[in-house]
Amino acid sequence: MGSMKEFIGVMMLLSKCFMSMKGEELIKSSSSALGGCDFPAIFNFGDSNSDTGSMAAAFYPAASPYGETFFKEPAGRASDGRLIIDFIAKHLGFPYLSAYINSIGTSYRNGANFAAGSSTIRRQNKTYFDGGTPFVLEIQTEQFNQFKARTAKFFTSGNESSYQNQFPRPEEFAKAIYILDIGQNDIGAAIGNGGNEDFQVEASKIVEYFSNQVQLLYGLGARTFWIHNTGPIGCLPVSLPIHNAKPNKTQPGYLDQNGCVKYQNEMAKIFNTNLKNLVIQLRAKFSDASLIHVDMFSAKYYLISHAKEEGFVDAYNICCGYHKDGYHRYCGNKSIVDGKEIFAGSCKDPSKYISWDGVHYTEAANNWIANHIINGSFSDPPIPITQSCHRTH
C-alpha cells in the first residue's frame, strides 16, 4: 500500500510539473510574436485593494502604522506599504498612481486612480460612517468621464496651456490600459445579509452592473481592459473562527482543507464564473478591444495555501491589529479590553506576513501576487500585461 501511495504521489508531482511547463510554453508561444504595448497611461477602478488615496483624501486618513514599511507614514493605502496596482505601475515604467480625488502633490500625466475603499459594483445604501462610500463603480466611471472631458480642453487649438504637461493627451486615452479590481465588497454585503443560498441570482445582477460600466468605458474610448476577478474572501483571517469567540463550535465542512470558510469562497467562485462569462461575451461584442481576465482568486489562494513554502508565516496570522477572544480592534486603534489599554499595533516583521490587518494584504504579499500575475501566468489569454493591448482571443 505504501509503494502505491508513493507511486501516486510521484505521478501527481510529474503531472504538476508537466502542466506548469505547458503553461509556461503557452505563455511564451502566445507572447513571443507580440511586441510591447507602450501604454501612455493607466486608469484604475476598484476598492480598497487598489485605493491609493481616495478615501484618505475625501474623509479621514488612516493612522500609523499604515504605510510604515515603504512610505514610512500613512499613504492612503490599506497596507503597510505598496499595493498590487503600485507594483503594476512600476512594472510598466510609471510613477505610482495618484488618486483622482486627491488634490495635493499629485500628478496625472500617466493616468489616474479612481479606486476607493469600501467601493462596490452596485449602489449602496450606506454612508461613510456606516462603512460605506459614495464612490461606487458607477461614480468612478463618471469621474473618469469628467477627467477625460475636462483635460481635453487643455489641448484644443489655440489653447496653449502649461497644464498640457500634467495630463494625458486626448489621443492617449485609447492607448491606455484600464484596470478593474472590484466586487469583493458586493460579495461581503451578500454574506452579511445571509444571502448565500440565492447568490447565483445576485451574482448575475452584480456582474450585469459591472458590464454596464465596462461598456461605458468602451464608449469613452477604452480598448485595453485588464480585469481582475475577486479573491478568496473566505480566507480573510478576520472572518475565520480562529479570530472569533468559541472557535470549537465550527460545524464539520464549514472550513475547506486550507482552513478557509468554504461557503464564502464558493460565493466568490460563483461571482468569478459570471465575470469570466461576461468577459467572453464582451470580447465577441467588441472586436477591436482586448479584454484580459486575471484569475486573482487562484493566485491569492495558491499563496495562502503555500504560505510557508513561499517564505511567510501561517496565512491566518494577522500582522496589525488585536483579534482575540471575539474582541476586534483594528490596526492603529486604541481601546480598553478587560480593563487594560490595548494599542492594535503592527508585528515586528510585516514582510513575513500575508495579512496586514485581517482584511488587506501586506506589501510583501502584494509584491508576490503582482509578480505572479503580470507575466500572464494567471491570465486568459495567457499573455503578460506589457502585451495585453494585443487582441489574441
Side-chain angles (χ1 to χ4, degrees):
M1 182 65 70
S3 60
M4 178 59 71
K5 286 184 177 180
E6 291 175 2
F7 173 76
I8 293 174
V10 170
M11 292 303 294
M12 289 180 67
L13 179 60
L14 289 173
S15 175
K16 181 178 179 181
C17 291
F18 175 75
M19 291 301 292
S20 176
M21 291 172 63
K22 293 296 287 182
E24 292 176 1
E25 291 172 2
L26 185 58
I27 293 171
K28 290 179 180 178
S29 63
S30 297
S31 61
S32 59
L34 302 175
C37 294
D38 194 24
F39 296 115
I42 308 174
F43 295 104
N44 184 71
F45 307 84
D47 51 31
S48 58
N49 288 314
S50 60
D51 180 354
T52 57
S54 289
M55 293 297 279
F59 300 105
Y60 298 98
S64 179
Y66 281 90
E68 66 176 13
T69 296
F70 182 78
F71 301 100
K72 308 305 178 184
E73 63 180 354
R77 292 158 172 81
S79 180
D80 61 310
R82 290 167 290 182
L83 308 179
I84 292 171
I85 186 62
D86 291 314
F87 291 108
I88 289 176
K90 181 181 178 181
H91 181 71
L92 293 176
F94 295 126
Y96 301 128
L97 280 184
S98 294
Y100 167 75
I101 204 168
N102 190 3
S103 60
I104 301 174
T106 51
S107 171
Y108 302 106
R109 179 62 188 87
N110 299 114
N113 190 2
F114 302 90
S118 301
S119 291
T120 49
I121 294 171
R122 294 200 294 184
R123 297 177 181 179
Q124 300 179 5
N125 290 318
K126 296 191 296 183
T127 69
Y128 169 80
F129 299 100
D130 302 316
T133 176
F135 307 118
V136 296
L137 183 58
E138 179 182 355
I139 297 300
Q140 292 179 31
T141 55
E142 175 54 29
Q143 289 176 333
F144 169 77
N145 183 22
Q146 292 190 37
F147 179 87
K148 185 173 185 287
R150 293 170 68 184
T151 57
K153 296 178 181 179
F154 299 130
F155 298 91
T156 57
S157 178
N159 188 26
E160 296 298 325
S161 170
S162 60
Y163 288 114
Q164 290 185 359
N165 296 323
Q166 300 179 32
F167 299 102
R169 304 186 68 83
E171 65 270 19
E172 292 177 338
F173 284 85
K175 301 175 183 177
I177 182 170
Y178 292 75
I179 301 175
L180 296 99
D181 186 337
I182 193 168
Q184 178 174 301
N185 292 323
D186 293 88
I187 300 170
I191 291 171
N193 293 331
N196 58 303
E197 292 183 1
D198 301 320
F199 188 65
Q200 181 64 62
V201 175
E202 285 295 298
S204 297
K205 294 178 180 179
I206 295 169
V207 171
E208 182 179 354
Y209 271 79
F210 183 85
S211 175
N212 292 337
Q213 300 313 309
V214 172
Q215 293 186 68
L216 185 150
L217 290 173
Y218 176 87
L220 292 171
R223 290 298 180 269
T224 300
F225 297 88
W226 182 266
I227 300 173
H228 296 177
N229 70 11
T230 199
I233 190 171
C235 297
L236 297 179
V238 75
S239 65
L240 300 179
I242 191 174
H243 294 297
N244 290 281
K246 301 178 182 179
N248 295 327
K249 291 195 174 183
T250 302
Q251 296 178 351
Y254 184 75
L255 303 178
D256 68 11
Q257 69 274 18
N258 289 306
C260 301
V261 179
K262 193 172 181 179
Y263 85 89
Q264 293 182 4
N265 277 352
E266 290 300 322
M267 292 173 70
K269 290 178 181 178
I270 290 171
F271 170 83
N272 288 342
T273 297
N274 279 269
L275 182 66
K276 179 69 175 293
N277 291 337
L278 169 67
V279 170
I280 294 171
Q281 293 168 15
L282 292 178
R283 286 172 184 165
K285 184 173 183 178
F286 302 130
S287 60
D288 60 338
S290 173
L291 293 99
I292 310 297
H293 175 271
V294 185
D295 189 1
M296 296 295 283
F297 185 102
S298 294
K300 291 180 176 180
Y301 193 80
Y302 179 90
L303 174 60
I304 289 167
S305 57
H306 296 81
K308 294 183 179 179
E309 297 172 33
E310 298 297 332
F312 295 91
V313 299
D314 190 292
Y316 309 115
N317 290 337
I318 300 172
C319 178
C320 187
Y322 182 88
H323 304 279
K324 295 181 180 179
D325 302 322
Y327 291 101
H328 293 291
R329 301 297 180 266
Y330 288 92
C331 186
N333 291 320
K334 289 182 180 180
S335 61
I336 304 298
V337 176
D338 294 334
K340 297 180 180 180
E341 184 179 70
I342 297 295
F343 174 67
S346 65
C347 58
K348 184 177 180 180
D349 187 0
S351 70
K352 298 297 183 183
Y353 286 71
I354 291 175
S355 180
W356 165 242
D357 57 9
V359 177
H360 306 98
Y361 291 74
T362 61
E363 171 174 295
N366 286 326
N367 189 20
W368 187 99
I369 296 164
N371 286 337
H372 285 76
I373 64 169
I374 57 179
N375 66 0
S377 297
F378 290 90
S379 299
D380 174 40
I383 57 177
I385 193 170
T386 53
Q387 299 176 336
S388 57
C389 65
H390 299 288
R391 180 180 168 87
T392 61
H393 39 269

